[in-house]
PDB file of all heavy atoms in Angstrom:
ATOM      1  N   SER A   1       0.759  -1.203  -0.005  1.00  0.00           N
ATOM      2  CA  SER A   1       0.044   0.022  -0.037  1.00  0.00           C
ATOM      3  C   SER A   1       0.903   1.240   0.025  1.00  0.00           C
ATOM      4  O   SER A   1       2.012   1.297   0.402  1.00  0.00           O
ATOM      5  CB  SER A   1      -0.935   0.060   1.261  1.00  0.00           C
ATOM      6  OG  SER A   1      -0.113  -0.010   2.421  1.00  0.00           O
ATOM      7  N   MET A   2       0.283   2.424  -0.408  1.00  0.00           N
ATOM      8  CA  MET A   2       0.987   3.608  -0.461  1.00  0.00           C
ATOM      9  C   MET A   2       0.845   4.453   0.741  1.00  0.00           C
ATOM     10  O   MET A   2      -0.112   4.240   1.471  1.00  0.00           O
ATOM     11  CB  MET A   2       0.453   4.425  -1.656  1.00  0.00           C
ATOM     12  CG  MET A   2       1.272   5.707  -1.875  1.00  0.00           C
ATOM     13  SD  MET A   2       0.519   6.717  -3.222  1.00  0.00           S
ATOM     14  CE  MET A   2      -0.639   7.652  -2.212  1.00  0.00           C
ATOM     15  N   ARG A   3       1.895   5.048   1.180  1.00  0.00           N
ATOM     16  CA  ARG A   3       1.967   5.826   2.385  1.00  0.00           C
ATOM     17  C   ARG A   3       2.441   7.188   2.278  1.00  0.00           C
ATOM     18  O   ARG A   3       3.459   7.403   1.602  1.00  0.00           O
ATOM     19  CB  ARG A   3       2.806   5.058   3.450  1.00  0.00           C
ATOM     20  CG  ARG A   3       3.134   5.793   4.727  1.00  0.00           C
ATOM     21  CD  ARG A   3       2.037   5.520   5.763  1.00  0.00           C
ATOM     22  NE  ARG A   3       2.505   5.576   7.111  1.00  0.00           N
ATOM     23  CZ  ARG A   3       2.477   6.661   7.894  1.00  0.00           C
ATOM     24  NH1 ARG A   3       1.913   7.808   7.465  1.00  0.00           N
ATOM     25  NH2 ARG A   3       2.993   6.528   9.120  1.00  0.00           N
ATOM     26  N   ASP A   4       1.579   8.161   2.714  1.00  0.00           N
ATOM     27  CA  ASP A   4       2.049   9.683   2.696  1.00  0.00           C
ATOM     28  C   ASP A   4       2.379   9.956   4.143  1.00  0.00           C
ATOM     29  O   ASP A   4       1.635   9.653   5.091  1.00  0.00           O
ATOM     30  CB  ASP A   4       0.984  10.516   2.184  1.00  0.00           C
ATOM     31  CG  ASP A   4       0.676  10.263   0.721  1.00  0.00           C
ATOM     32  OD1 ASP A   4       1.674  10.088  -0.109  1.00  0.00           O
ATOM     33  OD2 ASP A   4      -0.413  10.273   0.373  1.00  0.00           O
ATOM     34  N   ILE A   5       3.491  10.735   4.373  1.00  0.00           N
ATOM     35  CA  ILE A   5       3.822  11.072   5.771  1.00  0.00           C
ATOM     36  C   ILE A   5       4.522  12.436   5.787  1.00  0.00           C
ATOM     37  O   ILE A   5       5.076  12.850   4.856  1.00  0.00           O
ATOM     38  CB  ILE A   5       4.884   9.930   6.239  1.00  0.00           C
ATOM     39  CG1 ILE A   5       5.126  10.282   7.696  1.00  0.00           C
ATOM     40  CG2 ILE A   5       6.160  10.038   5.401  1.00  0.00           C
ATOM     41  CD1 ILE A   5       6.034   9.114   8.378  1.00  0.00           C
ATOM     42  N   VAL A   6       4.090  13.215   6.677  1.00  0.00           N
ATOM     43  CA  VAL A   6       4.756  14.512   7.074  1.00  0.00           C
ATOM     44  C   VAL A   6       5.676  14.295   8.239  1.00  0.00           C
ATOM     45  O   VAL A   6       5.249  13.809   9.389  1.00  0.00           O
ATOM     46  CB  VAL A   6       3.757  15.601   7.420  1.00  0.00           C
ATOM     47  CG1 VAL A   6       4.438  16.936   7.744  1.00  0.00           C
ATOM     48  CG2 VAL A   6       2.766  15.780   6.239  1.00  0.00           C
ATOM     49  N   CYS A   7       6.968  14.500   8.043  1.00  0.00           N
ATOM     50  CA  CYS A   7       7.895  14.117   9.086  1.00  0.00           C
ATOM     51  C   CYS A   7       9.290  14.899   9.034  1.00  0.00           C
ATOM     52  O   CYS A   7       9.355  15.807   8.210  1.00  0.00           O
ATOM     53  CB  CYS A   7       8.342  12.534   8.858  1.00  0.00           C
ATOM     54  SG  CYS A   7       8.900  12.266   7.168  1.00  0.00           S
ATOM     55  N   ARG A   8      10.176  14.494   9.935  1.00  0.00           N
ATOM     56  CA  ARG A   8      11.410  15.100   9.920  1.00  0.00           C
ATOM     57  C   ARG A   8      12.412  14.186  10.611  1.00  0.00           C
ATOM     58  O   ARG A   8      11.977  13.268  11.436  1.00  0.00           O
ATOM     59  CB  ARG A   8      11.444  16.428  10.522  1.00  0.00           C
ATOM     60  CG  ARG A   8      11.335  16.519  11.995  1.00  0.00           C
ATOM     61  CD  ARG A   8      11.524  17.912  12.477  1.00  0.00           C
ATOM     62  NE  ARG A   8      12.251  17.844  13.807  1.00  0.00           N
ATOM     63  CZ  ARG A   8      12.634  18.816  14.529  1.00  0.00           C
ATOM     64  NH1 ARG A   8      12.364  19.998  14.171  1.00  0.00           N
ATOM     65  NH2 ARG A   8      13.282  18.671  15.680  1.00  0.00           N
ATOM     66  N   LEU A   9      13.686  14.292  10.460  1.00  0.00           N
ATOM     67  CA  LEU A   9      14.696  13.500  11.022  1.00  0.00           C
ATOM     68  C   LEU A   9      15.251  14.217  12.294  1.00  0.00           C
ATOM     69  O   LEU A   9      15.066  15.428  12.422  1.00  0.00           O
ATOM     70  CB  LEU A   9      15.941  13.195  10.213  1.00  0.00           C
ATOM     71  CG  LEU A   9      15.618  12.686   8.746  1.00  0.00           C
ATOM     72  CD1 LEU A   9      16.968  12.651   7.935  1.00  0.00           C
ATOM     73  CD2 LEU A   9      15.028  11.260   8.933  1.00  0.00           C
ATOM     74  N   GLY A  10      15.828  13.343  13.124  1.00  0.00           N
ATOM     75  CA  GLY A  10      16.571  14.055  14.307  1.00  0.00           C
ATOM     76  C   GLY A  10      15.718  14.379  15.537  1.00  0.00           C
ATOM     77  O   GLY A  10      16.150  15.138  16.467  1.00  0.00           O
ATOM     78  N   VAL A  11      14.346  13.961  15.540  1.00  0.00           N
ATOM     79  CA  VAL A  11      13.594  14.359  16.666  1.00  0.00           C
ATOM     80  C   VAL A  11      13.940  13.529  17.923  1.00  0.00           C
ATOM     81  O   VAL A  11      14.097  12.370  17.818  1.00  0.00           O
ATOM     82  CB  VAL A  11      12.086  14.177  16.397  1.00  0.00           C
ATOM     83  CG1 VAL A  11      11.194  14.425  17.498  1.00  0.00           C
ATOM     84  CG2 VAL A  11      11.665  15.087  15.190  1.00  0.00           C
ATOM     85  N   ARG A  12      14.119  14.172  19.050  1.00  0.00           N
ATOM     86  CA  ARG A  12      14.433  13.461  20.322  1.00  0.00           C
ATOM     87  C   ARG A  12      13.290  13.399  21.298  1.00  0.00           C
ATOM     88  O   ARG A  12      13.401  12.710  22.315  1.00  0.00           O
ATOM     89  CB  ARG A  12      15.619  14.284  20.918  1.00  0.00           C
ATOM     90  CG  ARG A  12      16.946  14.239  20.004  1.00  0.00           C
ATOM     91  CD  ARG A  12      17.601  12.853  20.045  1.00  0.00           C
ATOM     92  NE  ARG A  12      18.788  13.008  19.168  1.00  0.00           N
ATOM     93  CZ  ARG A  12      19.143  12.056  18.429  1.00  0.00           C
ATOM     94  NH1 ARG A  12      18.366  10.997  18.277  1.00  0.00           N
ATOM     95  NH2 ARG A  12      20.186  12.187  17.715  1.00  0.00           N
ATOM     96  N   SER A  13      12.207  14.042  21.058  1.00  0.00           N
ATOM     97  CA  SER A  13      11.084  14.059  21.987  1.00  0.00           C
ATOM     98  C   SER A  13      10.328  12.690  21.800  1.00  0.00           C
ATOM     99  O   SER A  13      10.595  11.965  20.647  1.00  0.00           O
ATOM    100  CB  SER A  13      10.062  15.109  21.549  1.00  0.00           C
ATOM    101  OG  SER A  13      10.739  16.372  21.656  1.00  0.00           O
ATOM    102  N   TYR A  14       9.526  12.398  22.729  1.00  0.00           N
ATOM    103  CA  TYR A  14       8.743  11.159  22.669  1.00  0.00           C
ATOM    104  C   TYR A  14       9.520   9.836  22.532  1.00  0.00           C
ATOM    105  O   TYR A  14       8.923   8.757  22.356  1.00  0.00           O
ATOM    106  CB  TYR A  14       7.813  11.120  21.394  1.00  0.00           C
ATOM    107  CG  TYR A  14       6.890  12.430  21.339  1.00  0.00           C
ATOM    108  CD1 TYR A  14       7.227  13.489  20.558  1.00  0.00           C
ATOM    109  CD2 TYR A  14       5.709  12.365  22.055  1.00  0.00           C
ATOM    110  CE1 TYR A  14       6.444  14.570  20.520  1.00  0.00           C
ATOM    111  CE2 TYR A  14       4.842  13.561  22.002  1.00  0.00           C
ATOM    112  CZ  TYR A  14       5.197  14.653  21.212  1.00  0.00           C
ATOM    113  OH  TYR A  14       4.478  15.680  21.086  1.00  0.00           O
ATOM    114  N   ILE A  15      10.778   9.916  23.033  1.00  0.00           N
ATOM    115  CA  ILE A  15      11.525   8.660  23.092  1.00  0.00           C
ATOM    116  C   ILE A  15      11.149   7.930  24.341  1.00  0.00           C
ATOM    117  O   ILE A  15      11.133   8.566  25.435  1.00  0.00           O
ATOM    118  CB  ILE A  15      13.104   8.919  23.040  1.00  0.00           C
ATOM    119  CG1 ILE A  15      13.469   9.558  21.787  1.00  0.00           C
ATOM    120  CG2 ILE A  15      13.914   7.709  23.428  1.00  0.00           C
ATOM    121  CD1 ILE A  15      14.977   9.927  21.664  1.00  0.00           C
ATOM    122  N   LYS A  16      10.801   6.678  24.171  1.00  0.00           N
ATOM    123  CA  LYS A  16      10.239   5.789  25.339  1.00  0.00           C
ATOM    124  C   LYS A  16      11.447   5.290  26.202  1.00  0.00           C
ATOM    125  O   LYS A  16      11.249   4.940  27.379  1.00  0.00           O
ATOM    126  CB  LYS A  16       9.458   4.725  24.802  1.00  0.00           C
ATOM    127  CG  LYS A  16       8.143   5.161  24.147  1.00  0.00           C
ATOM    128  CD  LYS A  16       7.358   4.015  23.821  1.00  0.00           C
ATOM    129  CE  LYS A  16       6.045   4.438  23.108  1.00  0.00           C
ATOM    130  NZ  LYS A  16       5.278   3.359  22.507  1.00  0.00           N
ATOM    131  N   GLY A  17      12.555   5.290  25.568  1.00  0.00           N
ATOM    132  CA  GLY A  17      13.697   4.739  26.492  1.00  0.00           C
ATOM    133  C   GLY A  17      13.603   3.193  26.735  1.00  0.00           C
ATOM    134  O   GLY A  17      13.956   2.778  27.783  1.00  0.00           O
ATOM    135  N   THR A  18      13.294   2.405  25.698  1.00  0.00           N
ATOM    136  CA  THR A  18      13.140   0.981  25.876  1.00  0.00           C
ATOM    137  C   THR A  18      14.532   0.280  26.005  1.00  0.00           C
ATOM    138  O   THR A  18      14.671  -0.883  26.462  1.00  0.00           O
ATOM    139  CB  THR A  18      12.320   0.305  24.795  1.00  0.00           C
ATOM    140  OG1 THR A  18      13.037   0.499  23.555  1.00  0.00           O
ATOM    141  CG2 THR A  18      10.900   0.880  24.655  1.00  0.00           C
ATOM    142  N   GLY A  19      15.523   1.079  25.558  1.00  0.00           N
ATOM    143  CA  GLY A  19      16.943   0.550  25.661  1.00  0.00           C
ATOM    144  C   GLY A  19      17.344  -0.221  24.400  1.00  0.00           C
ATOM    145  O   GLY A  19      18.550  -0.436  24.165  1.00  0.00           O
ATOM    146  N   LYS A  20      16.428  -0.507  23.499  1.00  0.00           N
ATOM    147  CA  LYS A  20      16.778  -1.253  22.194  1.00  0.00           C
ATOM    148  C   LYS A  20      16.697  -0.202  21.076  1.00  0.00           C
ATOM    149  O   LYS A  20      15.803   0.567  20.836  1.00  0.00           O
ATOM    150  CB  LYS A  20      15.740  -2.286  21.854  1.00  0.00           C
ATOM    151  CG  LYS A  20      15.782  -3.503  22.930  1.00  0.00           C
ATOM    152  CD  LYS A  20      14.903  -4.605  22.432  1.00  0.00           C
ATOM    153  CE  LYS A  20      13.461  -4.232  22.099  1.00  0.00           C
ATOM    154  NZ  LYS A  20      12.578  -5.332  21.813  1.00  0.00           N
ATOM    155  N   PRO A  21      17.812  -0.065  20.315  1.00  0.00           N
ATOM    156  CA  PRO A  21      17.806   0.796  19.235  1.00  0.00           C
ATOM    157  C   PRO A  21      16.953   0.238  18.013  1.00  0.00           C
ATOM    158  O   PRO A  21      16.756  -0.914  17.992  1.00  0.00           O
ATOM    159  CB  PRO A  21      19.216   0.833  18.753  1.00  0.00           C
ATOM    160  CG  PRO A  21      19.837  -0.405  19.225  1.00  0.00           C
ATOM    161  CD  PRO A  21      19.133  -0.778  20.578  1.00  0.00           C
ATOM    162  N   SER A  22      16.408   1.137  17.355  1.00  0.00           N
ATOM    163  CA  SER A  22      15.550   0.789  16.216  1.00  0.00           C
ATOM    164  C   SER A  22      16.265  -0.005  15.148  1.00  0.00           C
ATOM    165  O   SER A  22      17.425   0.436  14.953  1.00  0.00           O
ATOM    166  CB  SER A  22      14.856   2.094  15.592  1.00  0.00           C
ATOM    167  OG  SER A  22      14.276   1.695  14.456  1.00  0.00           O
ATOM    168  N   TYR A  23      15.659  -0.998  14.574  1.00  0.00           N
ATOM    169  CA  TYR A  23      16.239  -1.836  13.475  1.00  0.00           C
ATOM    170  C   TYR A  23      16.512  -0.780  12.243  1.00  0.00           C
ATOM    171  O   TYR A  23      17.321  -1.021  11.369  1.00  0.00           O
ATOM    172  CB  TYR A  23      15.393  -2.891  13.071  1.00  0.00           C
ATOM    173  CG  TYR A  23      14.037  -2.537  12.454  1.00  0.00           C
ATOM    174  CD1 TYR A  23      13.889  -2.390  11.051  1.00  0.00           C
ATOM    175  CD2 TYR A  23      12.890  -2.303  13.237  1.00  0.00           C
ATOM    176  CE1 TYR A  23      12.698  -1.998  10.453  1.00  0.00           C
ATOM    177  CE2 TYR A  23      11.809  -1.902  12.624  1.00  0.00           C
ATOM    178  CZ  TYR A  23      11.559  -1.774  11.283  1.00  0.00           C
ATOM    179  OH  TYR A  23      10.486  -1.388  10.763  1.00  0.00           O
ATOM    180  N   ALA A  24      15.883   0.248  12.263  1.00  0.00           N
ATOM    181  CA  ALA A  24      16.039   1.220  11.059  1.00  0.00           C
ATOM    182  C   ALA A  24      17.414   1.934  11.201  1.00  0.00           C
ATOM    183  O   ALA A  24      17.858   2.426  10.163  1.00  0.00           O
ATOM    184  CB  ALA A  24      14.803   2.392  11.107  1.00  0.00           C
ATOM    185  N   LEU A  25      17.968   1.853  12.276  1.00  0.00           N
ATOM    186  CA  LEU A  25      19.319   2.595  12.617  1.00  0.00           C
ATOM    187  C   LEU A  25      20.437   1.716  11.963  1.00  0.00           C
ATOM    188  O   LEU A  25      21.583   2.212  11.888  1.00  0.00           O
ATOM    189  CB  LEU A  25      19.543   3.018  13.965  1.00  0.00           C
ATOM    190  CG  LEU A  25      18.518   3.949  14.479  1.00  0.00           C
ATOM    191  CD1 LEU A  25      18.663   4.113  15.938  1.00  0.00           C
ATOM    192  CD2 LEU A  25      18.503   5.301  13.674  1.00  0.00           C
ATOM    193  N   LYS A  26      20.194   0.454  11.659  1.00  0.00           N
ATOM    194  CA  LYS A  26      21.345  -0.347  11.066  1.00  0.00           C
ATOM    195  C   LYS A  26      21.626   0.094   9.714  1.00  0.00           C
ATOM    196  O   LYS A  26      20.841   0.567   8.941  1.00  0.00           O
ATOM    197  CB  LYS A  26      20.792  -1.808  11.110  1.00  0.00           C
ATOM    198  CG  LYS A  26      20.726  -2.404  12.556  1.00  0.00           C
ATOM    199  CD  LYS A  26      20.204  -3.817  12.424  1.00  0.00           C
ATOM    200  CE  LYS A  26      19.942  -4.339  13.822  1.00  0.00           C
ATOM    201  NZ  LYS A  26      19.561  -5.788  13.801  1.00  0.00           N
ATOM    202  N   LYS A  27      22.999   0.004   9.403  1.00  0.00           N
ATOM    203  CA  LYS A  27      23.475   0.588   8.130  1.00  0.00           C
ATOM    204  C   LYS A  27      23.123  -0.448   7.007  1.00  0.00           C
ATOM    205  O   LYS A  27      23.120   0.030   5.814  1.00  0.00           O
ATOM    206  CB  LYS A  27      24.952   0.777   8.269  1.00  0.00           C
ATOM    207  CG  LYS A  27      25.347   1.741   9.156  1.00  0.00           C
ATOM    208  CD  LYS A  27      24.843   3.127   8.819  1.00  0.00           C
ATOM    209  CE  LYS A  27      25.381   4.226   9.788  1.00  0.00           C
ATOM    210  NZ  LYS A  27      24.631   5.437   9.720  1.00  0.00           N
ATOM    211  N   ASP A  28      22.839  -1.631   7.183  1.00  0.00           N
ATOM    212  CA  ASP A  28      22.691  -2.560   6.078  1.00  0.00           C
ATOM    213  C   ASP A  28      21.132  -2.906   5.636  1.00  0.00           C
ATOM    214  O   ASP A  28      20.862  -3.669   4.956  1.00  0.00           O
ATOM    215  CB  ASP A  28      23.220  -3.965   6.510  1.00  0.00           C
ATOM    216  CG  ASP A  28      22.478  -4.512   7.809  1.00  0.00           C
ATOM    217  OD1 ASP A  28      21.893  -3.757   8.390  1.00  0.00           O
ATOM    218  OD2 ASP A  28      22.677  -5.706   8.018  1.00  0.00           O
ATOM    219  N   ASN A  29      20.308  -1.882   5.953  1.00  0.00           N
ATOM    220  CA  ASN A  29      18.926  -1.914   5.479  1.00  0.00           C
ATOM    221  C   ASN A  29      18.459  -0.656   4.845  1.00  0.00           C
ATOM    222  O   ASN A  29      19.139   0.281   5.044  1.00  0.00           O
ATOM    223  CB  ASN A  29      17.891  -2.464   6.783  1.00  0.00           C
ATOM    224  CG  ASN A  29      17.877  -1.290   7.806  1.00  0.00           C
ATOM    225  OD1 ASN A  29      17.978  -0.148   7.445  1.00  0.00           O
ATOM    226  ND2 ASN A  29      17.559  -1.691   8.862  1.00  0.00           N
ATOM    227  N   PRO A  30      17.378  -0.679   4.107  1.00  0.00           N
ATOM    228  CA  PRO A  30      16.901   0.466   3.335  1.00  0.00           C
ATOM    229  C   PRO A  30      15.998   1.422   4.095  1.00  0.00           C
ATOM    230  O   PRO A  30      15.254   2.159   3.485  1.00  0.00           O
ATOM    231  CB  PRO A  30      16.220  -0.164   2.114  1.00  0.00           C
ATOM    232  CG  PRO A  30      15.594  -1.447   2.732  1.00  0.00           C
ATOM    233  CD  PRO A  30      16.637  -1.877   3.813  1.00  0.00           C
ATOM    234  N   TYR A  31      15.978   1.392   5.378  1.00  0.00           N
ATOM    235  CA  TYR A  31      15.006   2.116   6.142  1.00  0.00           C
ATOM    236  C   TYR A  31      15.647   3.319   6.883  1.00  0.00           C
ATOM    237  O   TYR A  31      16.766   3.351   7.152  1.00  0.00           O
ATOM    238  CB  TYR A  31      14.296   1.289   7.144  1.00  0.00           C
ATOM    239  CG  TYR A  31      13.683  -0.012   6.529  1.00  0.00           C
ATOM    240  CD1 TYR A  31      14.208  -1.309   6.956  1.00  0.00           C
ATOM    241  CD2 TYR A  31      12.566  -0.004   5.930  1.00  0.00           C
ATOM    242  CE1 TYR A  31      13.632  -2.450   6.316  1.00  0.00           C
ATOM    243  CE2 TYR A  31      12.067  -1.082   5.306  1.00  0.00           C
ATOM    244  CZ  TYR A  31      12.512  -2.284   5.543  1.00  0.00           C
ATOM    245  OH  TYR A  31      12.003  -3.353   4.944  1.00  0.00           O
ATOM    246  N   GLN A  32      14.690   4.351   6.918  1.00  0.00           N
ATOM    247  CA  GLN A  32      15.119   5.523   7.588  1.00  0.00           C
ATOM    248  C   GLN A  32      14.068   5.931   8.679  1.00  0.00           C
ATOM    249  O   GLN A  32      12.801   5.945   8.404  1.00  0.00           O
ATOM    250  CB  GLN A  32      15.127   6.768   6.612  1.00  0.00           C
ATOM    251  CG  GLN A  32      15.554   8.020   7.182  1.00  0.00           C
ATOM    252  CD  GLN A  32      16.985   8.100   7.633  1.00  0.00           C
ATOM    253  OE1 GLN A  32      17.874   7.705   6.871  1.00  0.00           O
ATOM    254  NE2 GLN A  32      17.222   8.471   8.775  1.00  0.00           N
TER     255      GLN A  32
END
């Protein structure tokens, strides 16, 4: 399905602090 999003990079608010980094931060995948 198609997705439209209004967003930005580098936001530090709303971090839950689960201790696990997002899989999107890995360099070997196509996600941001």
